[in-house]
Amino acid sequence: MSEQPPYLRIADVLRQRIAEHVWTAGDRLPSRAQIAEECGVGENVVRRAQELLISQGVLEGRAGSGTYVAAPRRRTRVVRSSAREQPDGSPFRADMRALGKQGNWESRTEAKVPAPAEIASRLGIAEGDLCVRTVYEFLADGRPVQLSTSWEPYELTAGTLVVLPEGGPHAGVGVVNRMAAIGITVSHAVEQPEPRQATAEEASLLGIQKAALVTHIRRTYYSDEGRPVETADIVIPAALCEIVYEIPVGR
């Protein structure tokens, strides 16, 4: 069995001291040099341990001040459910309203964007075929909680009132309702979640540490004929949000 990397051992030591209330929320940790000397490791090992705990929301770094024990924070509940689509509006707003929060988003749409290979595969189209791409930043009480990049085949909605997801009379009502407006019935979605570290751009947009843990969900909506009509990459910060799946059970 391989030995635990030194930085993980130091992270466990720091975590244990917090659990035993040696340090409590708001306390400033000793310098890296002090911790390194006490634990018999290099300062780089302590730095990696602290970066890990910052990414997990246990510690927080303050520029020019040091590293502190983070205050416990309640994570925003993000529901993934087949019942999320609302007949008269956004499922995200409905989710946030249920939590007593104001849900909103900012978006930027580009039409006629060539599909990269992975997106083309997910949409069942040829690489380079034109798509409508929309980038979203979802906010709860003004705070970023989720990012999403959506892709739809351009030829599917071209010339209709729903070609722009955030424009026209059906703006902001969700994929299912928009497709229904042009006679396409969305029957189901497939989601593939996986954990990874945030990119520098994602961390900046979400207000989290670079390389903090996020859940990356690849979601694709399908019509009742089995055709992919939209695919999206959804990024949710693990330290800020908890993801809950609601699964209907039929008889």
Side-chain angles (χ1 to χ4, degrees):
M1 182 181 295
S2 60
E3 186 178 349
Q4 185 182 44
Y7 81 96
L8 292 180
R9 178 173 62 83
I10 301 305
D12 286 343
V13 170
L14 301 182
R15 195 182 286 108
Q16 184 65 27
R17 291 184 182 180
I18 295 170
E20 293 174 350
H21 302 291
V22 176
W23 303 316
T24 58
D27 284 351
R28 184 176 184 271
L29 269 61
S31 69
R32 288 176 183 167
Q34 289 176 281
I35 296 173
E37 182 177 359
E38 180 183 346
C39 296
V41 297
E43 288 188 39
N44 281 341
V45 173
V46 177
R47 176 182 56 78
R48 286 193 67 189
Q50 290 182 340
E51 288 175 348
L52 173 64
L53 295 180
I54 288 172
S55 75
Q56 296 174 344
V58 177
L59 300 177
E60 62 179 32
R62 301 179 188 174
S65 179
T67 304
Y68 293 76
V69 179
R73 53 190 174 188
R74 185 176 179 181
R75 296 193 297 169
T76 298
R77 183 183 176 94
V78 177
V79 179
R80 315 297 302 172
S81 168
S82 62
R84 293 181 76 249
E85 294 291 341
Q86 305 294 312
D88 57 352
S90 158
F92 178 76
R93 282 201 180 109
D95 287 348
M96 293 301 103
R97 194 160 51 241
L99 298 173
K101 296 178 180 289
Q102 179 69 37
N104 213 329
W105 61 86
E106 298 174 358
S107 66
R108 183 179 72 256
T109 296
E110 298 176 80
K112 299 184 180 181
V113 178
E118 182 192 352
I119 297 301
S121 176
R122 285 155 59 177
L123 288 174
I125 59 178
E127 182 178 357
D129 280 359
L130 298 182
C131 289
V132 176
R133 180 179 65 193
T134 305
V135 178
Y136 293 91
E137 180 180 346
F138 291 92
L139 311 169
D141 288 343
R143 182 179 185 178
V145 294
Q146 180 177 311
L147 305 174
S148 178
T149 302
S150 165
W151 299 77
E152 297 177 0
Y154 177 71
E155 61 90 16
L156 187 67
T157 58
T160 74
L161 294 176
V162 301
V163 65
L164 301 178
E166 299 300 320
H170 303 286
V173 299
V175 175
V176 174
N177 295 319
R178 286 178 48 250
M179 293 299 160
I182 57 173
I184 296 174
T185 300
V186 175
S187 62
H188 67 287
V190 174
E191 294 195 345
Q192 179 185 353
E194 65 178 8
R196 64 167 173 79
Q197 293 181 316
T199 66
E201 181 181 8
E202 290 166 347
S204 176
L205 289 171
L206 290 168
I208 58 178
Q209 292 289 325
K210 182 180 178 181
L213 293 177
V214 297
T215 300
H216 177 187
I217 301 174
R218 293 177 177 85
R219 181 201 66 205
T220 304
Y221 278 112
Y222 293 86
S223 74
D224 57 357
E225 297 177 345
R227 176 180 182 175
V229 299
E230 187 260 11
T231 194
D233 290 286
I234 300 164
V235 177
I236 301 174
L240 303 180
C241 301
E242 62 176 3
I243 302 172
V244 178
Y245 277 85
E246 292 184 353
I247 302 172
V249 178
R251 290 183 179 273

